[in-house]
Amino acid sequence: MSMQDPVADMLTCIRNAQAMGIQKILMPHSILKTEILRVLREEGFIDNFEVVASDNKRDLQVGLKYYQGRPVIEKIDRVSRPALRIYRGYDELPVVRGGLGIAIVSTPKGVMTDKTARTQKVGGEVLCTVE
């Protein structure tokens, strides 16, 4: 069976691993996933990630972050999905938890947070929200 939404699968892997208290997870590699993880690392939601090559395929190894035994990511949700894409202009981007969380947006200038997209005055597809 083919995977319909690899980004949703990645977010579910992160959600499930943090519920179990796992420190590192492994998932299939893609450029979009790498960019989303880069934003999560820059914003301090994950420790690190790296591309691991083995047997002619590449995987992403993600180090999850915990604070006092609790996951740093309280909630991570997919907004846009293959059957229903959600596009917003820079002035219509969602504000997550009054600015305490982030929305990850895919723009023509690359994948970035909602705050960065507003300052650069560029809109795009709202991929997910993180609290």
Side-chain angles (χ1 to χ4, degrees), residues 15-131:
R15 203 178 303 118
N16 290 342
Q18 287 199 320
M20 296 293 296
I22 297 172
Q23 296 293 324
K24 288 192 180 284
I25 57 173
L26 204 62
M27 64 185 70
H29 175 268
S30 80
I31 295 172
L32 181 59
K33 288 180 190 178
T34 304
E35 289 300 306
I36 292 171
L37 290 172
R38 178 189 54 80
V39 171
L40 288 174
R41 184 185 61 204
E42 288 173 359
E43 294 295 315
F45 286 104
I46 62 172
D47 269 339
N48 57 6
F49 72 94
E50 63 181 346
V51 178
V52 179
S54 64
D55 296 333
N56 214 8
K57 72 172 195 167
R58 296 188 303 181
D59 290 324
L60 287 167
Q61 183 175 3
V62 182
L64 300 176
K65 197 173 190 179
Y66 296 88
Y67 179 72
Q68 295 180 347
R70 295 182 47 91
V72 171
I73 298 174
E74 291 180 15
K75 186 177 178 185
I76 187 165
D77 290 322
R78 181 82 156 117
V79 176
S80 184
R81 53 183 206 232
L84 181 63
R85 301 287 184 189
I86 306 295
Y87 295 97
R88 297 286 182 254
Y90 75 91
D91 53 344
E92 299 171 340
L93 291 172
V95 177
V96 182
R97 263 181 99 181
L100 296 176
I102 62 167
I104 299 177
V105 185
S106 176
T107 69
K109 294 184 178 181
V111 177
M112 59 185 72
T113 65
D114 57 327
K115 297 167 192 153
T116 309
R118 273 192 217 95
T119 59
Q120 293 187 11
K121 293 193 176 187
V122 63
E125 180 183 358
V126 182
L127 297 174
C128 61
T129 58
V130 184
E131 299 177 21

Side-chain angles (χ1 to χ4, degrees), residues 6-23:
V7 174
D9 182 60
M10 176 187 75
L11 300 179
T12 301
C13 283
I14 291 172
R15 203 178 303 118
N16 290 342
Q18 287 199 320
M20 296 293 296
I22 297 172
Q23 296 293 324

